[in-house]
Amino acid sequence: MDEHIIEAAGKCRVVVRDGNVVEIGEPVITDCPLARRFACPVTEMTPKAIRNNIQNRIDSFGMCTQNRELLSEEPFVGFGASEVMSTALSRRFIDAAVIACDGAGTVVITDPKMVQGIGGRMSGLVSTSPIPDIISRIIEGGGIVPDQKNALMNPVSGVRAAHDAGYDHLIVTISKPEDAQTVREEDQDAIIIAVHTTGYSDTDADMVCTYADIVTACASKTVRERCGPSALLQAGSTVPVYALTTQGKYLILLRMAAIENPLYVTHAHLPVHGEKSPHPLI
């Protein structure tokens, strides 16, 4: 069955089959400033608005279909995970990124444009089905798809596939906190970025603090409370991104150097809370 499950804006569970949104749940938050800036904005956190946003992604760039666009140079947010990873790849600070892709599962990508094309347009992928055309185009673009039969999402399998291909310096995105630990045990030097953290428990946030290098706060209260004070650098305040290690800090600084817009930098006791944030924090 061609089925793709996403936790979209508001961590709302969405099921896509054959290019159509067929199921949609209830969002767990009521407002997100970032979602208001989407190409198809979610100004009101309702199932209908989220359905429209996901269907727009399907129709405009083929998300979860064989028409999926895989390449992009357009930054969607200043310090998003895909923007940080694509910058690190283009600066040759890392060899490859291990990320999740609709229609392919865990993939190993070496092209900065493909990292941005995949990751900048997809967040909260829970599970996916293999789409042969997407898989073949990833491989043609120099990427690796460890599980072409099932498109399973398993970051450790991505790390192993990357190592087998001769890539030593990796960035890995994870959403499950326990994956941060297993990836760290597999590769002590991997740079780990924790994403999709809304709803993390205290234990989840503590695990990410222990094993990750960068964490996006999303609408997580516990990440702000437990990871924020440990951060070496914070990027943004509406949806903060925390660098937890020296490697993570360096990546954020690399991204800062690549941004053409003016930046304001200052010392501060972290975390710094912005005037706007997702609501409620959970």
Side-chain angles (χ1 to χ4, degrees):
M1 179 187 296
D2 178 37
E3 180 176 273
H4 314 271
I5 300 176
I6 305 161
E7 288 182 344
K11 205 169 184 179
C12 176
R13 185 180 185 273
V14 180
V15 179
V16 176
R17 295 192 190 113
D18 300 320
N20 295 290
V21 177
V22 297
E23 293 180 29
I24 189 148
E26 290 289 336
V28 299
I29 63 174
T30 58
D31 184 59
C32 177
L34 184 60
R36 294 175 177 270
R37 294 163 47 194
F38 289 164
C40 177
V42 181
T43 57
E44 187 179 8
M45 202 67 71
T46 64
K48 180 179 179 181
I50 295 167
R51 175 191 291 272
N52 290 340
N53 173 269
I54 297 300
Q55 193 64 53
N56 177 264
R57 299 191 208 187
I58 295 168
D59 296 339
S60 62
F61 64 86
M63 186 179 75
C64 299
T65 76
Q66 65 180 4
N67 300 319
R68 177 65 148 92
E69 295 177 8
L70 295 175
L71 302 178
S72 177
E73 293 184 273
E74 179 185 358
F76 296 98
V77 292
F79 296 97
S82 61
E83 286 78 9
V84 169
M85 291 186 291
S86 60
T87 298
L89 274 172
S90 64
R91 298 296 188 273
R92 298 189 177 182
F93 184 70
I94 60 166
D95 298 329
V98 179
I99 61 177
C101 178
D102 46 303
T106 292
V107 294
V108 181
I109 307 297
T110 58
D111 181 349
K113 295 178 184 178
M114 190 174 288
V115 166
Q116 185 62 18
I118 292 173
R121 292 165 161 169
M122 165 57 66
S123 60
L125 185 64
V126 175
S127 64
T128 191
S129 298
I131 299 177
D133 188 66
I134 292 177
I135 292 171
S136 64
R137 285 188 287 124
I138 289 172
I139 294 171
E140 289 169 5
I144 300 169
V145 182
D147 186 0
Q148 298 179 33
K149 180 179 179 181
N150 301 299
L152 292 180
M153 300 200 321
N154 182 342
V156 170
S157 72
V159 169
R160 290 172 179 166
H163 287 163
D164 289 344
Y167 302 126
D168 296 321
H169 306 295
L170 307 178
I171 284 184
V172 186
T173 57
I174 62 96
S175 59
K176 297 177 182 178
E178 57 269 24
D179 284 342
Q181 180 177 356
T182 56
V183 168
R184 180 65 67 216
E185 290 171 350
E186 183 71 25
D187 185 344
Q188 286 292 317
D189 298 321
I191 300 171
I192 299 172
I193 303 180
V195 298
H196 197 52
T197 61
T198 299
Y200 266 22
S201 67
D202 288 349
T203 301
D204 293 338
D206 288 342
M207 185 171 289
V208 162
C209 282
T210 300
Y211 295 106
D213 297 275
I214 295 173
V215 57
T216 59
C218 300
S220 172
K221 181 179 179 182
T222 58
V223 166
R224 285 169 170 79
E225 291 177 346
R226 303 179 86 90
C227 299
S230 302
L232 303 181
L233 185 152
Q234 175 180 329
S237 58
T238 301
V239 180
V241 177
Y242 301 123
L244 304 172
T245 65
T246 300
Q247 280 202 122
K249 180 178 179 180
Y250 185 76
L251 253 67
I252 299 294
L253 293 174
L254 272 182
R255 177 63 194 151
M256 289 173 64
I259 293 175
E260 296 181 356
N261 295 334
L263 299 172
Y264 171 66
V265 181
T266 186
H267 292 284
H269 292 289
L270 301 181
V272 173
H273 303 291
E275 295 181 1
K276 298 179 180 179
S277 66
H279 179 82
L281 299 177
I282 60 173

